[in-house]
């Protein structure tokens, strides 16, 4: 099957899923999402004002009509304006994407490289002191919550040692880095534990295969065995995990962005839920789902490129 | 290793940059602990938006910065309004020579002079239903012809140029307002942010983006706004001559808050307001001197105070504390439409007497609160220090009232649903505390976690049985608290207890037409007594905030209602250079 046909088929199959997501989002919002008209009318609301707001927001239309307009918005990628801040929803998303990616992408790359390096060394020395030490360290790192790292690092490195600004943001590319180093450090610390364990397992799985024994029997050096055989084959599960983590970079990190004053997209969905801001909830859910499906497709394509045994069907 | 080395170099250079930028910096670094939705006065509903908007926009009136209780004084008006004998017509002279901040919407980009027409336009904009203005309640039903114009506008029958009988510009600087009925508090309404003046040209030029492009007549103009991060304000070069007040309270003299008397406002050239929803970074930034004022997080309270006194190490750093009794009341609300709770007064009275209020103040507010005897906070007309509510903590009496109510030891009572305002641990712990207190007299409650929209929906659709809430004054008059029990305000209005009492209504209607007088005061006290007897709400406390500020920040006296306070603040650079290194 040609690559193009495969991609078109996958996108075609994704449409019913997207339809299902819009339907579930719509139902959930109307069941447990609060009443935006009450929220906008505020504490001094009156029935007349609530009715007028409901009419302005289109909430007085039938549920079917409201859902159809949601589907239209999804098709056109135009979710209008936020009910809470009156900004264009897509402007909010694009404005936050840069800061979110500035935070997530470097942290992700650093974490990936360090985790992979440690996992390689750990699997090379499997069962030995180094390997055990790594396992204990990883489990120890994983046993604290994200929030503990944020509070600890912010207190220790920013406040006590004064190495970094405690919080803040500079929109210029040259100025923003000073505010990002500490969040990167936290993000890397948090993700190294699970990263090393997963990559180590993938590498160990391969290193116990028969072809590795054959390669060693041929007299290949360990470096060659690892770089040409084990790592290449272990890449399949590793890449799958890595690519599937990428959509999370786009949806941002709520805690890090909130504690460090980074104006990313991390808090958009949470704030929208708190304000019953349905246009933003709709947009963020749909965009998140689309990215998830796209990266899923990308993962399949990359895997076929990496491993010739995998076929597109 | 190379990468690590480069990182270390970057870190070190950044550290030096950060430290240098703080020396000899007379910028004021303020803080708001929530994200700002927009900078449009008509949408300024929460304290955060109000604080941000009030630095840039102005209204006809505002409050004297130093005097307490709050004292209304002219801002864009020349003087207090002239009111006709029947209380229906307000004539207000507007200051001459007030200019909007420069903007491309004006000819040659120069801000034009403010006129009476700007207020008429701004108030029509507030009434325009398409804006869904949160602040519309301020004028709703009060000005002749305005509600009709609102309705006709939504039907396309009128436009912004159509006249309104109750709003007239007699000349360029004279505004005449005709009310539908006498409302002595009307001038107070004219100090609220939704009534602030905006320029039609700017609204029309910026369209839907107006909330991002504030252009007012106020002391500061918006230089930069990074949403969810910071707001940078600079002194408005077009600002008229307004002077720092030369009168205040005794405490202001003691704290040298009158040293700047007569100086031109704003005192600071630049203000940076950091947006910090999380308390830990706010507190750390303050403790390092990067913020000039802050809020003490509950968990950091012991780092600042030894009991109720300031710790010695904090005092040595020059950190000051502003004790601020809030114009608010926290309470447990009871839905009077509930078939059991609403119909059984003895049951509600027993519930009130089962709660040891002092424990809740000590546990949940670090002891920072004045036990509430009524909805009225100290300083409000009708508040009396010696007055005690009739159904205060008394467990034995509460048990005897349960017998009177027909439910000895709670027998025969269903489990009531107690709606938690949010899912925070604080909210849950407060619910558990009440659960324990009421269990002593046999009343069982089930804690229902909610997020805010869910809670709000239950409250306004009258589904909440029992709930915990606070009300902060919108304006400094007892009426703002007493309206909470007026039957015409039942949910979705502010009477979330859905309390209906004909006697109360009659007194409220009479009171709201009266100017401050002994007669009004007597009515207020009667209403308080009636509410305390009927117990639609169990009043808990009036919160006292202890706001820390740096020793180098001069004139800090923040208070709800005084939202434009940044113009009065300045940095004492000499003190800053001495105190900052100690942090």
């Amino acid at each position: 099957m040609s690559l193009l046909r495969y991609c078109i088929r996958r996108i075609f199959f994704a449409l019913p899923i997207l339809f299902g997501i819009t339907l579930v989002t719509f139902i959930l919002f109307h069941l447990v999402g609060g009443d935006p008209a009450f929220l906008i009318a505020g504490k001094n609301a009156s029935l007349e004002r609530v009715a007028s707001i409901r009419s302005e927001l289109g909430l007085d239309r039938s549920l079917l009509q409201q859902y159809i307009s949601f589907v239209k918005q999804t098709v056109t990628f135009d979710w209008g304006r936020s009910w809470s801040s009156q900004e264009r929803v897509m402007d909010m998303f694009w404005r936050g994407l840069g800061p979110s990616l500035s935070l997530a992408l470097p942290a992700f790359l650093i974490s990936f490289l360090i985790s992979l390096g440690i996992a390689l060394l750990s699997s090379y020395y499997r069962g030995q002191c180094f390997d055990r030490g790594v396992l204990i360290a990883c489990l120890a790192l994983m046993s604290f919550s994200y929030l503990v790292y944020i509070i600890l690092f912010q207190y220790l490195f920013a406040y006590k040692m004064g190495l970094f600004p405690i919080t803040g943001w500079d929109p210029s590319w040259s100025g923003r880095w000073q505010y990002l180093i500490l969040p990167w450090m936290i993000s890397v610390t948090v993700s190294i534990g699970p990263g090393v364990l997963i990559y180590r397992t993938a590498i160990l799985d391969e290193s116990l295969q028969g072809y590795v024994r054959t390669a060693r029997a041929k007299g290949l050096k360990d470096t060659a065995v690892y770089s040409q055989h084990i790592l290449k084959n272990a890449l399949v599960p590793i890449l799958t995990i890595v690519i599937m983590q990428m959509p999370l970079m786009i949806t941002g990190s709520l805690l890090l962005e909130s504690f460090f004053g980074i104006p990313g997209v991390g808090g958009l969905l949470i704030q929208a839920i708190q304000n019953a801001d349905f246009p933003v909830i709709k947009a963020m859910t749909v965009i998140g789902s689309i990215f998830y499906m796209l990266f899923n497709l990308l993962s399949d394509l990359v895997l076929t490129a990496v491993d010739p045994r995998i076929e597109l069907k | 290793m190379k990468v690590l080395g480069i990182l270390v170099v970057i870190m070190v250079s950044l550290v030096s940059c950060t430290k240098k930028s703080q020396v000899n910096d007379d910028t004021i670094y303020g803080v708001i602990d929530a994200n700002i939705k927009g900078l449009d006065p008509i949408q300024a509903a929460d304290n955060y938006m109000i604080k941000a908007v009030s630095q840039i926009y102005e209204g006809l009136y505002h409050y004297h910065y130093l005097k307490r209780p709050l004292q209304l004084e002219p801002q864009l008006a020349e003087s207090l309004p002239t009111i006709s004998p029947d209380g229906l017509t307000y004539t207000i002279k507007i200051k001459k020579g007030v200019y909007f901040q420069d903007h491309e919407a004006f000819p040659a980009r120069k801000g034009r002079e403010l006129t009476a027409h700007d207020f008429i336009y701004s108030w029509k904009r507030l009434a325009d239903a398409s804006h869904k203005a949160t602040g519309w309640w301020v004028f709703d039903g009060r000005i002749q012809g305005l509600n009709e114009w609102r309705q006709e506008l939504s039907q396309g029958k009128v436009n912004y140029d159509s006249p309104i009988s109750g709003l007239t510009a007699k000349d360029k600087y004279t505004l005449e307002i005709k009310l539908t009925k006498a409302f002595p508090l009307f001038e107070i309404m004219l100090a609220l942010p939704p009534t602030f003046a905006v320029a039609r040209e700017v609204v029309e030029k910026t369209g839907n983006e107006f909330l991002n492009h504030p252009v007012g007549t106020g002391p500061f103009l918006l230089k930069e706004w990074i949403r969810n991060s910071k707001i940078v304000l600079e002194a408005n070069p077009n600002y008229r001559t307004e002077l720092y007040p030369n009168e205040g309270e005794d405490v202001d003299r003691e704290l040298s808050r009158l040293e700047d008397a007569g100086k031109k406002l704003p005192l600071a050239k630049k203000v940076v307001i950091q947006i910090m929803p999380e308390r830990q970074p706010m507190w750390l930034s303050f403790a390092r001197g990067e913020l000039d004022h802050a809020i003490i997080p509950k968990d950091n309270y012991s780092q600042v105070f030894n009991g109720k006194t300031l710790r010695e190490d904090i005092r040595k750093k020059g950190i000051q504390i502003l004790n601020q009794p809030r114009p608010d009341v926290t309470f447990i609300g009871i839905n009077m439409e509930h078939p059991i709770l609403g119909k059984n007064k003895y049951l509600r009275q027993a519930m009130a007497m089962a709660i040891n209020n002092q424990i809740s103040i000590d546990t949940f507010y670090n002891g920072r609160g004045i036990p509430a005897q009524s909805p009225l906070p100290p300083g409000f007309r009708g508040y009396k220090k010696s007055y005690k509510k009739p159904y205060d903590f008394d467990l034995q009496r509460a048990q005897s009232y349960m017998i009177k109510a027909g439910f000895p030891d709670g027998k025969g009572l269903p489990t009531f649903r107690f709606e938690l305002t949010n899912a925070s641990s604080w909210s849950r712990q407060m619910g558990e505390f009440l659960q324990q207190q009421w269990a002593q007299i046999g009343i069982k409650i089930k804690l229902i976690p909610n997020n805010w929209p869910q809670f709000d929906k239950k409250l306004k659709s009258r589904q909440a049985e029992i709930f915990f809430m606070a009300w902060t004054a919108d304006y400094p008059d007892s009426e703002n608290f007493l309206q909470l029990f007026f039957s015409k305000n039942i949910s979705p209005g502010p009477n979330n207890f859905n309390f209906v009492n004909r006697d109360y209504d009659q007194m409220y209607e009479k009171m709201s037409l009266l100017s401050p007088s002994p007669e009004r005061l007597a009515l207020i006290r009667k209403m308080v007594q009636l509410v305390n007897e009927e117990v639609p709400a169990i009043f808990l406390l009036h919160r006292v905030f202890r706001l820390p500020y740096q020793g180098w920040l001069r004139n800090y006296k923040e208070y709800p209602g005084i939202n434009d306070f940044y113009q009065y603040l300045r940095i004492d650079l000499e003190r800053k250079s001495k105190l900052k290194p100690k942090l």
Side-chain angles (χ1 to χ4, degrees), chain A residues 156-194:
Chain A
L156 201 65
F157 295 114
Y159 174 66
K160 272 286 173 195
M161 297 164 78
L163 291 174
F164 311 103
I166 291 165
T167 177
W169 183 251
D170 186 337
S172 72
W173 284 100
S174 56
R176 69 175 58 174
W177 308 114
Q178 59 171 321
Y179 298 105
L180 285 168
I181 298 169
L182 191 56
W184 286 342
M185 281 169 59
I186 294 168
S187 181
V188 169
T189 309
V190 168
S191 50
I192 272 183

Side-chain angles (χ1 to χ4, degrees), chain A residues 105-124:
Chain A
L105 199 58
F108 177 75
L109 287 175
I110 297 167
S111 157
F112 173 67
L113 292 174
I114 294 176
S115 304
L116 190 62
I118 296 174
L120 272 168
L121 284 172
S122 189
S123 52
Y124 182 77

Side-chain angles (χ1 to χ4, degrees), chain B residues 249-265:
Chain B
E249 298 178 298
D250 291 343
V251 68
D252 299 320
R253 203 159 279 109
E254 285 163 26
L255 294 172
S256 311
R257 288 194 191 119
L258 285 166
E259 278 182 8
D260 289 313
K263 285 187 185 165
K264 191 176 180 303
L265 298 173

